Amino acid sequence: MSKLRKGDTVIVIAGKDKGKQGTVQAVKNDRIKVEGINIVTKHKKPNQATGVEGGILKQEAFLHISNVAILNAQTQKADRITYQFGEDGKKQRVYRSSGEVVATA
């Protein structure tokens, strides 16, 4: 299970977009898609049967989950996540540095 979820704000810690921040759009296995990060150019072939127009598109591509870290809103720095059980007995995500509960989007 990934510690990052859709809607989390993350910061890129490695690669061509290092230092940029964005919101998680999708998580698949060990890959993650972040809004505005890892933009690639895709050449789309037109298809008259389905009504798809061709052209050159720019879109976000998946990047490895190890290249991003969750952004701690209080410190504005990259952080790690651990799990703890709350008073109600439910499992919750917690920042390792401060021990505060991660706000779910």
Side-chain angles (χ1 to χ4, degrees):
M1 184 171 101
S2 173
K3 293 183 179 183
L4 296 176
R5 296 183 186 160
K6 185 177 178 181
D8 285 344
T9 303
V10 294
I11 185 166
V12 180
I13 57 175
K16 66 179 182 179
D17 293 321
K18 183 177 180 178
K20 292 184 181 178
Q21 299 175 11
T23 306
V24 175
Q25 290 182 330
V27 179
K28 280 188 179 178
N29 298 333
D30 61 348
R31 300 269 167 189
I32 191 167
K33 189 183 283 188
V34 183
E35 181 182 357
I37 306 293
N38 198 23
I39 301 294
V40 295
T41 304
K42 186 169 176 87
H43 291 43
K44 189 81 168 169
K45 192 171 183 180
N47 188 344
Q48 290 181 348
T50 59
V52 175
E53 286 189 30
I56 300 172
L57 306 174
K58 294 203 177 270
Q59 64 184 29
E60 291 99 359
F62 282 91
L63 66 152
H64 199 269
I65 204 162
S66 66
N67 293 331
V68 297
I70 194 159
L71 185 72
N72 191 333
Q74 282 79 24
T75 61
Q76 289 297 312
K77 291 184 180 179
D79 210 338
R80 292 185 295 166
I81 294 178
T82 186
Y83 290 103
Q84 288 181 355
F85 290 98
E87 294 152 5
D88 56 355
K90 290 191 175 181
K91 194 177 188 182
Q92 53 193 7
R93 299 184 304 159
V94 176
Y95 292 117
R96 281 199 185 229
S97 63
S98 62
E100 295 182 28
V101 176
V102 177
T104 55

